[in-house]
Amino acid sequence: MQVSAGRFRHIYDPSAGEAQPWYINDHTVIRDESGRWHLFGITHPEPADPWDETEFAHATADRLLGPWTKYPPALTADPDYGETHLWAPYVVRSGDRYFMFYDGGGPDRTATAMNLATSTDLAHWTRHPDGPLFRDGYDARDPMVLWLEDRWVMYYCATSDPDGGHHVVAYRTSTDLVTWSERAIAYTDPRTGTGAGPTESPFVMRHNESWYLFLGPRPRYSGTDVFRSDDPLHFSIGDQAGHLRAHAAEVVDDGERLWVTHAGWGQGGVHLAPLRFRE
């Protein structure tokens, strides 16, 4: 396999100061202008209760390996905005603002709301005034956004039809991070279903001249498969390039090396390992 991970180190425990254990699930890591790291993610007391996940953790650190300092939740579900839960934040910077994309739920799992909040300081967040950016199903969630040549691309997990079908990685494009195209498909898995499936937590990155898609859980909860392609908008199950013992894996570049994260239910917080490519 071309892609692997080194030893995972435990870098952040959200249970600090709490009366019971807490977890971090799908999460995002970003560095601010001063060089300080910020972590945002789904959080909740153990045991897992995804339909009661209603706030996003926020922690900061001067160094990626910590120590990390816990802060009050970055965002809490707003029923008046139509939110029934908060899942899988992803944060990017454009200009002088940070954009947080996340699944805000809703009563119809075939039309889940993809929401947006913005901030200038990564501490205070304001929801987009016009409501969800778009809706998709089944339980469309886990957005990941990158700049590709002349446009932004948002990858997220869904099913081939909003009512169910093959588990897929869908994508949409935008020039302003607010108005998004209709969906297209970057990856289709042979497996079918409705809710949770094997295309969660999509993460796409470029290394040298190739593109890599990270997906999980595969085949078990703490498992992520990596697929390689020459085209960032088309991946195939026949192009597997690695497997990592990680859940909700995110790739982080600290300017010196690449790292991959691991978190999830019952995992005690967030873990970090060196990411390795064998050419």
Side-chain angles (χ1 to χ4, degrees):
M1 291 294 185
Q2 296 172 304
V3 187
S4 61
R7 181 178 65 86
F8 278 95
R9 313 183 208 183
H10 189 202
I11 63 167
Y12 177 59
D13 184 356
S15 305
E18 303 291 347
Q20 64 190 102
W22 282 59
Y23 59 81
I24 300 283
N25 201 352
D26 298 78
H27 55 282
T28 185
V29 179
I30 190 169
R31 207 174 198 174
D32 67 22
E33 286 186 287
S34 72
R36 191 166 182 79
W37 293 97
H38 294 254
L39 167 73
F40 301 93
I42 296 172
T43 193
H44 189 275
E46 298 280 11
D49 188 356
W51 301 107
D52 191 47
E53 293 171 344
T54 58
E55 60 186 45
F56 285 148
H58 181 205
T60 69
D62 291 327
R63 297 175 59 251
L64 188 56
L65 291 172
W68 288 82
T69 300
K70 184 175 182 175
Y71 282 86
L75 211 62
T76 301
D78 182 356
D80 293 335
Y81 196 77
E83 293 171 347
T84 54
H85 57 254
L86 297 183
W87 285 354
Y90 191 82
V91 178
V92 297
R93 182 181 174 189
S94 179
D96 61 355
R97 286 194 297 167
Y98 297 93
F99 292 72
M100 178 190 286
F101 302 92
Y102 63 96
D103 169 7
D108 183 358
R109 297 175 68 182
T110 70
T112 294
M114 195 68 76
N115 290 351
L116 168 65
T118 61
S119 174
T120 57
D121 60 5
L122 290 170
H124 305 90
W125 294 89
T126 301
R127 289 171 172 83
H128 185 58
D130 296 333
L133 301 177
F134 59 85
R135 295 180 181 274
D136 203 348
Y138 196 90
D139 284 342
R141 61 205 181 280
D142 300 0
M144 183 268 169
V145 177
L146 61 76
W147 178 256
L148 184 62
E149 296 181 353
D150 59 352
R151 56 185 168 162
W152 295 96
V153 180
M154 180 193 294
Y155 300 89
Y156 59 97
C157 62
T159 47
S160 53
D161 183 271
D163 293 327
H166 288 274
H167 292 286
V168 302
V169 175
Y171 71 89
R172 299 178 187 237
T173 63
S174 174
T175 57
D176 62 4
L177 291 170
V178 174
T179 303
W180 292 87
S181 70
E182 292 300 311
R183 63 135 72 175
I185 303 298
Y187 169 84
T188 300
D189 198 84
R191 282 164 283 188
T192 60
T194 50
T199 60
E200 295 181 8
S201 307
F203 192 99
V204 176
M205 63 166 292
R206 188 176 187 180
H207 180 71
N208 293 336
E209 299 304 314
S210 296
W211 291 90
Y212 294 88
L213 169 65
F214 295 70
L215 285 181
R218 307 170 68 93
R220 289 172 289 277
Y221 187 76
S222 293
T224 294
D225 285 341
V226 186
F227 301 89
R228 193 204 69 82
S229 175
D230 294 328
D231 183 346
L233 301 179
H234 295 92
F235 294 87
S236 169
I237 194 168
D239 296 326
Q240 186 174 346
H243 178 79
L244 312 176
R245 294 185 64 181
H247 179 84
E250 297 278 311
V251 178
V252 185
D253 185 351
D254 69 358
E256 296 182 2
R257 71 184 309 168
L258 294 173
W259 302 85
V260 63
T261 63
H262 161 63
W265 304 333
Q267 304 304 304
V270 181
H271 307 253
L272 193 69
L275 184 63
R276 299 168 177 166
F277 288 85
R278 180 175 57 82
E279 304 302 336

